[in-house]
Amino acid sequence: MEIKIIFSDIDGTFLTNNHEVTEKTQKAVKSLLAQNKKFVLVSARMPEAIYPITEKIGVKIPIISYSGGLVLTEDEKILYDKKISLEETRKLLNELKNYLDISVNYYTGRKWFVEKIDARVEREMRITSATAELANFSELVEKNILPNKILIMTEPKICEKLEIELGKKFPDLNVVRSSKILLEIMDKTVSKARGIEHLLRHYNFGVENSLAFGDNYNDVEMLKFVGCGVAMNNAPDDVKKIADDVTDSNEEDGIYNYFRRKKLTE
């Protein structure tokens, strides 16, 4: 079947290790759009950490943010917006008060709130080009401003421990590490595959018309769901095994090279 829509994870896939988009990758995206194909960036990032990438390339494309929790069309129309429930948000924030040496980030829609801006938050702002705002989390909850995602930044050993402990205490939430130092927490129903479903329905495409690129364990469900799942060469072997195909690494123009091999772009 014809590929009509392409989904790509961002960090470790679409971007190099220096958080840049290569000229060849930019060329590939523009070539696909010129063929009236859809190209979609999929990430745990908030929209304001994705749009600087699309603006730098000079394209307007759909995005799947918060790993499927917020889906926006190329015109920034909201197709799907899933928040953590009021009860779970309260319980989670209270539980996190028991842990030391963690930085808690509260993402809702296109806003990123923190109760203090520390070195970890500053690092994330540099990487993503998004800006954190100071707020009291309890006040946000009382105003019914609920999060799409709670992100915890901490040291690797603490991050690993938190993933296990919070996963057991909050069975209705999706608790998963997206790196050695980042723990993402969202509603249990949120997934990159669910976000893709919403866009396929919106554009009236079948799953067989879709292709996706990913590099890590949080991409597995997406790679399995689409018509063709492509793992980057920098992905763990377990991820490569479940993929339909493997391309070069994010440092070696893996996306561009795959399109060239499959004659999807010039």
Side-chain angles (χ1 to χ4, degrees):
M1 294 292 291
E2 179 189 359
I3 298 298
K4 297 181 179 179
I5 187 165
I6 298 96
F7 300 90
S8 176
D9 171 59
I10 293 181
D11 296 289
T13 302
F14 191 72
L15 300 182
T16 65
N17 295 340
N18 290 327
H19 311 290
E20 296 175 349
V21 187
T22 69
E23 290 185 11
K24 287 184 177 179
T25 299
Q26 294 184 45
K27 177 182 176 182
V29 171
K30 290 178 179 178
S31 175
L32 291 167
L33 297 180
Q35 298 173 52
N36 291 320
K37 297 183 187 296
K38 301 290 183 182
F39 191 88
V40 185
L41 288 176
V42 185
S43 178
R45 291 181 178 215
M46 69 182 298
E48 265 52 37
I50 300 176
Y51 285 134
I53 300 171
T54 60
E55 288 169 4
K56 187 172 183 179
I57 300 172
V59 297
K60 290 186 72 68
I61 59 175
I63 66 168
I64 296 176
S65 181
Y66 303 128
S67 296
L70 182 61
V71 182
L72 301 167
T73 68
E74 53 263 67
D75 299 320
E76 301 183 22
K77 173 187 174 183
I78 296 175
L79 292 183
Y80 184 68
D81 185 4
K82 183 65 177 180
K83 303 287 203 307
I84 300 175
S85 72
L86 177 63
E87 180 184 1
E88 291 293 312
T89 300
R90 281 179 172 155
K91 286 167 53 180
L92 177 61
L93 292 176
N94 284 332
E95 178 65 24
L96 293 179
K97 292 177 183 177
N98 297 322
Y99 294 90
L100 302 175
D101 196 24
I102 65 172
S103 301
V104 182
N105 302 261
Y106 193 110
Y107 292 90
T108 176
R110 299 178 65 167
K111 293 285 189 177
W112 169 18
F113 294 111
V114 295
E115 292 191 319
K116 66 176 181 178
I117 295 178
D118 58 20
R120 294 180 181 127
V121 173
E122 288 176 344
R123 177 181 180 273
E124 188 72 5
M125 287 196 286
R126 287 195 300 271
I127 290 172
T128 64
S129 298
T131 302
E133 301 177 38
L134 290 172
N136 182 289
F137 294 161
S138 296
E139 290 179 4
L140 293 175
V141 173
E142 291 308 311
K143 293 176 182 177
N144 205 37
I145 301 173
L146 300 176
N148 292 93
K149 179 180 79 170
I150 297 291
L151 172 68
I152 298 171
M153 303 169 180
T154 186
E155 300 306 307
K157 288 185 179 179
I158 300 174
C159 197
E160 184 177 359
K161 176 186 176 183
L162 274 173
E163 182 181 34
I164 296 170
E165 293 183 356
L166 295 179
K168 290 178 180 178
K169 291 180 179 180
F170 295 90
D172 292 329
L173 297 179
N174 186 14
V175 182
V176 61
R177 280 177 293 164
S178 56
S179 80
K180 292 180 180 179
I181 60 172
L182 299 178
L183 187 68
E184 315 270 355
I185 305 174
M186 290 158 286
D187 183 85
K188 192 76 171 181
T189 62
V190 168
S191 73
K192 291 184 177 182
R194 180 68 62 89
I196 288 172
E197 275 188 300
H198 286 283
L199 278 175
L200 291 180
R201 191 179 306 120
H202 177 72
Y203 294 116
N204 199 27
F205 294 153
V207 174
E208 66 276 9
N209 301 125
S210 62
L211 180 152
F213 295 95
D215 77 300
N216 221 322
Y217 294 106
N218 59 348
D219 296 317
V220 166
E221 189 174 356
M222 171 176 74
L223 296 177
K224 285 182 174 181
F225 178 77
V226 295
C228 181
V230 183
M232 309 301 287
N233 199 40
N234 49 292
D237 288 340
D238 290 346
V239 176
K240 293 179 187 177
K241 287 176 183 176
I242 64 93
D244 299 300
D245 207 344
V246 178
T247 188
D248 302 308
S249 77
N250 63 319
E251 288 287 292
E252 301 169 313
D253 288 304
I255 291 177
Y256 171 81
N257 292 339
Y258 184 84
F259 289 147
R260 284 292 301 273
R261 284 198 294 270
K262 297 299 181 179
K263 297 181 179 178
L264 288 170
T265 187
E266 297 179 356

